[in-house]
Amino acid sequence: MDAGWSPSDIAFREEVRTFTQENLPADIRDKVMSGRPLARSDHMRWQDILAARGWIAGFWPRRHGGCEWTPAQSYIFQEETTRAGAPWLLPFGVNYVGPVIYTYGSEKQKARHLPGIVSNEVFWCQGYSEPNAGSDLARLSTRAERDGEHYIVNGSKIWTSMAHWADWIFALVRTDPQVRPQAGISFLLIDLRSPGVSVRPIRSIEGAHHLNQVFFDNVRVPVENRVGEENKGWTYAKFLLGHERVLSAEIGKAKRMLGRLRRLAEERGASGSYRYLDRLNQLETDLIALEWTTLRMLEAVMDGSAPGYEASILKLRGSTVVQAIAEATADLLGPEAVPYDPAFLEEGSNDPGDELARHMGIVSEFLFQRAPTIWGGSNEIQRNIISKHALGLG
């Protein structure tokens, strides 16, 4: 398809494609292509490669260590790397807290935290959801009470991805319980090595450990670690959630998964059946529509402005398209998808060339894709946002 790419965009795409082919470690690519969980070392090794090239935060302003990529370049980078089998560039530092800090943070916060993100030396995680505040995030109850030049933080965060790997967490906390929920929230940067912080693992449906519950027991956090104004954290949270939902489109990943579906169908002689072709055509149509919608919206997001309800559209459709491709692939495997043991997926325990292990990776990915329709605000919440702000309904 012709998206009207400029000559410089086409040259950049070739540069990214060549770089990824030449520098993505084969063992990491094999894990991604077969759907197996990645270790922290896998993510960090690839991100170190990107950091050395100066591409870990390409869309950031140059003064903060980025390349000031155009919206088109940002899209091309994400599509080409993920389609080629590169790991998801973990977004917690680069896409989430980094832009919040350089947009709303103090000069001291920028100097302290941004270099570690760009160099891939500091690992961040996100502290938003709580046991009783998921999609209805404004109900959060983790408290931060002022004590001189510190806040005393008590409470917990749940479904915290990669907290067991992280050095820091950015968290929404309640600093004023007397006002309406959205008005009493602040945005804190918390060192996970602080006394009183503990992390409890949560195994997800496919048996992997990437989720956690983080507990805060009288954790002392310097007031200087608050981003922006006290009780104004909801503004920064919405800014961040817009970026998170845009990333949920995952065009490159969807194309990679769709390519694998085609290969599996050809191997099994199913590529000529009407039932398969009808399903494949629908998936391809949905993906093309999502891609064009993403291209139309990207510029408004990546130039620094906060996305609106359009981000909810990308999150809603991106998560359902990827989920549908994963489901179609599991259906194609049929009885071969039935045997499943998460132990086969652990690092070093299986042969990438083993067919059974590859199938288990596909099933693991199918199970994991239940999650994107929930995280970042459930799809039911996204429909409410779209109906209210796009359609003007109640």
Side-chain angles (χ1 to χ4, degrees), residues 121-293:
E121 295 177 286
V122 180
F123 198 116
W124 287 83
C125 64
Q126 174 177 307
Y128 272 28
S129 295
E130 298 183 4
N132 294 310
S135 293
D136 188 7
L137 188 57
R139 293 181 56 197
L140 66 89
S141 60
T142 295
R143 294 283 298 274
E145 299 177 319
R146 188 73 177 261
D147 180 25
E149 293 304 309
H150 288 80
Y151 288 106
I152 308 301
V153 180
N154 284 281
S156 73
K157 299 293 179 178
I158 202 166
W159 316 125
T160 312
S161 298
M162 285 69 174
H164 56 305
W165 295 348
D167 305 299
W168 284 73
I169 184 171
F170 55 93
L172 295 180
V173 296
R174 188 160 302 286
T175 43
D176 188 348
Q178 305 303 321
V179 296
R180 65 184 182 89
Q182 290 91 339
I185 293 171
S186 296
F187 193 106
L188 290 188
L189 312 177
I190 304 174
D191 187 338
L192 286 175
R193 296 164 295 185
S194 303
V197 176
S198 59
V199 178
R200 180 182 299 169
I202 299 173
R203 290 278 175 179
S204 54
I205 188 172
E206 82 279 20
H209 173 206
H210 46 85
L211 300 171
N212 304 272
Q213 186 168 6
V214 181
F215 296 89
F216 304 97
D217 183 10
N218 292 320
V219 178
R220 296 183 67 84
V221 179
V223 172
E224 66 181 20
N225 284 12
R226 185 193 70 228
V227 175
E229 299 179 52
E230 187 172 85
N231 299 325
K232 299 294 185 182
W234 192 248
T235 297
Y236 320 135
K238 290 190 296 181
F239 173 85
L240 186 152
L241 282 170
H243 286 270
E244 179 179 6
R245 290 166 185 164
V246 167
L247 289 175
S248 297
E250 296 193 288
I251 303 297
K253 179 178 181 179
K255 289 183 177 180
R256 182 184 75 221
M257 292 172 63
L258 197 59
R260 183 178 61 193
L261 174 59
R262 291 193 191 95
R263 290 192 297 272
L264 286 170
E266 290 173 1
E267 290 173 5
R268 284 156 179 74
S271 58
S273 74
Y274 173 79
R275 182 179 178 184
Y276 163 77
L277 289 175
D278 182 61
R279 194 170 188 180
L280 178 65
N281 289 339
Q282 184 62 59
L283 292 171
E284 289 183 328
T285 301
D286 290 345
L287 179 53
I288 290 171
L290 175 63
E291 182 173 18
W292 278 98
T293 303

